Amino acid sequence: MKLRGKAWKFGDNVDTDVIIPARYLNTSDEKSLAEHCMEDIDKDFVKKISKGDIIVAGYNFGSGSSREHAPIAIKASGISCVIAKDFARIFYRNSFNMGLPILESKEAVDDIKETDEIEVDIDTGIIKNITTDKEYKSNPIPKFMQELINSGGLFGYAKKLLNI
Amino acid sequence: MGMTITQKILAEKSSQDEVKPGDIILADVDLAFANDVTAPISIDFVKKLGVEVFDKKKIALIPDHFTPNKDINSANQCKIMRDFVKEKNVPNYWETGEVGIEHALLPEQGYIKPGMLIVGADSHTCTHGALGAFATGMGSTDLGFAFATGKTWLRVPETIKFNYTGKKNRWVYGKDLILYTIGKIGVSGALYKSMEFTGSAIRELPIEERLTMCNMAIEAGGKNGIIQADELTDKYLAERGVKKEDYTVYKSDDTAEYSNIIDINLENIEPQVACPHLPENTKGISEIAKEDIKIDQAFIGSCTNGRISDLREAAKILKNNKVAKFVRLIIIPATVDIYRQALKEGLFDIFLNAGAVISTPTCGPCLGGYMGILADNEVGISTSNRNFVGRMGSSKSFLYLSSPSIAAASAITGKISSPEEVLK
Ligand code: SF4
């Protein structure tokens, strides 16, 4: 699967409180969550992005609370993928369970500039910067997680495990 | 090759003789819980699968974040939980009037035992490692999966060993040890890793302060915090009716491999304050008290420091003192038992005489939910665990973290202060 869109850059330690502030956690409705995605760090974020765009961020992306609302908000806002130097543990796990593709590549993050056109191949982990014609390889996705993807995420995997 | 406590529990729960850091395992869960923010998605997961929960006694539903319900949406979230509890006949549910903050309530009520594998849809689930269990926070979908299957997938973490020695200085608590540690290693210093707290100073540390330390493992990025169970743990559990034969105490092997060993001498640690906007921005009280930082609000509560020992420490400072003019002091006992105990000991009189307000148990202001939100440009000091931008309200507010005694002292002087300034 290939994803393509513009890059939107963020620094290190983007935490779940800025991805989706707690004041909006009284709902789990995707659309309402998406409306407030990143608003405490960039209040125009949702307005300026287009479907398929990619978040490119530094270290420890998604630190803080276990709120799944964070990857849900990002995915529902139209962002197709997050590339970061590394991810906070729970966020990493949640994204994967929710079907938000995330990739780690320090090199790509250092190189990519805001609004560069990016193409990501989920199967191979290859990240292409169309604007500068450069290519990066991200860390491969572990085998167990590929099995999860093949079962259609955690829900499909549960069905398999319970034989339903 | 030897294994750490964490590895031993994970090996046992995945029916293997040995696990190594980096292995991905499917493990059996002993306790799975969620709260009013996270449970509705987990419940949805189980409902969509159309199955029963794997074991009613091994799940818990705890409506603690926005209860008594702060608005219609939160009331609806709680209703989803309550309806599910009724439908599936889940015994471990606490209604408003009984409920407390999940990470204070579960250990207090004897649900947490050494050697257990515990997952919670809340990042501070790592708290429970203080009793020698493996406990880690996850998302709602993970919890839905655990509710339905009784299993969870985990990447076996590497372990960092923190070795604490020496005697605590006055006004130093578990909170200060963990703030100091996070200040030293940073908010991603233990990313994906297990933090094993050990050493002679930990053996002397009361259980409530151990809970505070493990609570904040996540603030260093840790997967879990863990402390080997000992006589203090046995005593704590016995007081809650948990028998010794009902749990297994795991110990790390001498030959266990650690990714890092960090020695910390308590003699070098003075009371700590974490400055905005990260828990790693720590300073010693002597340094920060000089900066003359005026506060608008002090909050004593949360799953980090809302236990009875915390309230007692706060009361020592607040007794016969008054909160500074224009400062709000909000005190929230973390559970009903703590609330009742504080009332019995006369702490409420001390708090009320000082000018504090006392709330029923709830997370409330800790996550900027309600019951004490900061306005633009306001400054707060809190005994909770996070001071991210906007954590207690306005994204233009400033939040400091400390122990209850510093928070109480600051409420009295109206600026961030050492307890010494009040009790001299
Ligand atoms: S008290 Fe704060 S940190 Fe603890 S569970 Fe509640 S919201 Fe989370």
Side-chain angles (χ1 to χ4, degrees), chain A residues 26 68 87 89 93-94 97, chain B residues 73 136-137 140-142 153 192:
Chain A
N26 51 12
E68 221 160 52
F87 292 89
R89 189 189 66 78
R93 164 168 204 116
N94 283 345
N97 290 343
Chain B
N73 277 332
T136 191
S140 301
T141 300
D142 278 306
W153 65 267
Y192 301 113

Side-chain angles (χ1 to χ4, degrees), chain B residues 108 173 208 212 299-302 304-319 329-351 356-361 383 403-405 407-408:
Chain B
E108 172 195 276
Y173 309 87
E208 296 202 346
T212 304
F299 166 53
I300 298 172
S302 85
T304 319
N305 284 118
R307 298 186 181 81
I308 190 68
S309 56
D310 299 312
L311 302 186
R312 287 179 188 141
E313 288 305 302
K316 279 186 197 162
I317 315 281
L318 294 170
K319 194 166 184 177
L329 172 59
I330 297 161
I331 300 181
I332 309 189
T335 68
V336 175
D337 278 7
I338 297 166
Y339 191 96
R340 191 183 287 115
Q341 183 64 24
L343 186 64
K344 215 165 92 188
E345 292 179 18
L347 306 186
F348 279 15
D349 273 339
I350 296 173
F351 298 159
V357 65
I358 305 159
S359 152
T360 53
T383 66
S403 68
S405 59

Side-chain angles (χ1 to χ4, degrees), chain B residues 31-93:
Chain B
L31 178 66
F33 63 91
N35 60 49
D36 48 330
V37 171
T38 55
I41 302 174
S42 315
I43 290 170
D44 205 44
F45 190 95
V46 176
K47 288 207 160 149
K48 277 202 191 116
L49 278 174
V51 294
E52 291 303 312
V53 296
F54 82 104
D55 184 342
K56 276 180 230 174
K57 294 206 202 78
K58 292 187 178 172
I59 78 165
L61 290 148
I62 311 172
D64 58 355
H65 276 54
F66 297 140
T67 52
N69 302 134
K70 77 156 178 149
D71 56 19
I72 298 169
N73 277 332
S74 15
N76 283 333
Q77 300 262 104
C78 288
K79 188 162 185 305
I80 295 172
M81 285 177 97
R82 192 178 300 112
D83 288 347
F84 182 75
V85 164
K86 285 186 198 162
E87 184 192 318
K88 303 287 183 204
N89 218 347
V90 178
N92 306 321
Y93 169 78

Side-chain angles (χ1 to χ4, degrees), chain B residues 267-283:
Chain B
E267 271 130 49
N268 303 329
I269 303 181
E270 61 164 334
Q272 299 285 306
V273 174
C275 303
H277 293 286
L278 281 178
E280 70 180 21
N281 296 337
T282 53
K283 286 184 182 170

